[in-house]
């Protein structure tokens, strides 16, 4: 083992340990980056996350702290994610019923006539179920 002037050899129970004093806070900085990215992935709006599903990004950040965090910041984070993910920047308008907002994988009605027909069938089916429940 080659020792430089900035290094110190410490004997601990008969084992020699090399201490590097070059960047004393590198571990702390990596841990802070990891915690930031972990919280950012958890709080990010799933509709805005890029390239991979949210769960895959979470697993990458958890199991590969440095590489996963850097990859998240460069490739996965929503473009206008704000400080803790989310929609950020007020880019999207919020409706009174956010559960009905368009999300990836959810079909959006494109034909108003077909949408009205579907809703009419749903109402008819609900009325039929209520009538059967009353009669039973």
């Amino acid at each position: 083992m080659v020792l430089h002037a900035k290094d110190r050899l410490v004997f601990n129970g008969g084992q020699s340990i090399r201490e590097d004093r070059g960047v004393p806070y590198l571990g702390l900085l990596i841990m802070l980056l990891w915690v930031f990215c972990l919280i950012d992935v958890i709080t990010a709006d799933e509709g805005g996350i890029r390239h991979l599903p949210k769960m895959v990004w979470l697993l990458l950040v958890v199991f590969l702290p440095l590489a996963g965090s850097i990859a998240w910041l460069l490739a996965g984070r929503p473009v206008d994610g704000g400080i803790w993910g989310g929609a950020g920047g007020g880019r999207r308008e919020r409706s009174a019923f956010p559960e009905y907002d368009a999300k990836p994988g959810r079909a959006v009605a494109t034909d108003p006539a077909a949408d009205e027909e579907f809703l009419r069938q749903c109402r008819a089916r609900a009325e039929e179920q209520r009538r059967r429940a009353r009669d039973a």
Side-chain angles (χ1 to χ4, degrees):
M1 172 170 26
V2 177
L3 293 177
H4 298 285
K6 65 179 181 174
D7 298 333
R8 181 175 62 153
L9 194 60
V10 177
F11 292 97
N12 183 9
Q15 294 181 329
S16 62
I17 301 170
R18 181 176 173 257
E19 279 187 17
D20 187 6
R21 293 185 181 190
V23 185
Y25 300 110
L26 183 62
L28 180 64
L29 291 174
I30 292 172
M31 187 184 76
L32 289 175
L33 173 70
W34 180 71
V35 169
F36 171 80
C37 289
L38 189 63
I39 294 171
D40 198 36
V41 169
I42 291 170
T43 60
D45 183 23
E46 192 156 358
I49 293 177
R50 299 178 292 155
H51 302 294
L52 295 172
K54 185 175 184 174
M55 186 57 70
V56 174
W57 279 116
L58 185 63
L59 293 173
L60 276 174
V61 171
V62 167
F63 291 115
L64 302 171
L66 183 59
S69 296
I70 292 171
W72 164 252
L73 292 175
L74 295 177
R77 195 165 195 261
V79 176
D80 290 332
I83 187 76
W84 292 117
R91 211 176 68 161
R92 262 185 7 180
E93 35 188 79
R94 299 279 183 191
S95 70
F97 305 99
E99 61 271 14
Y100 296 116
D101 289 345
K103 294 185 178 169
R106 180 177 287 179
V108 178
T110 54
D111 182 21
D115 191 37
E116 286 299 321
E117 176 63 22
F118 173 75
L119 291 175
R120 187 191 61 72
Q121 289 174 355
C122 286
R123 288 184 196 107
R125 190 170 55 235
E127 279 300 317
E128 178 65 24
Q129 290 172 350
R130 284 189 202 109
R131 187 186 57 75
R132 284 187 201 157
R134 272 182 277 157
D135 293 344

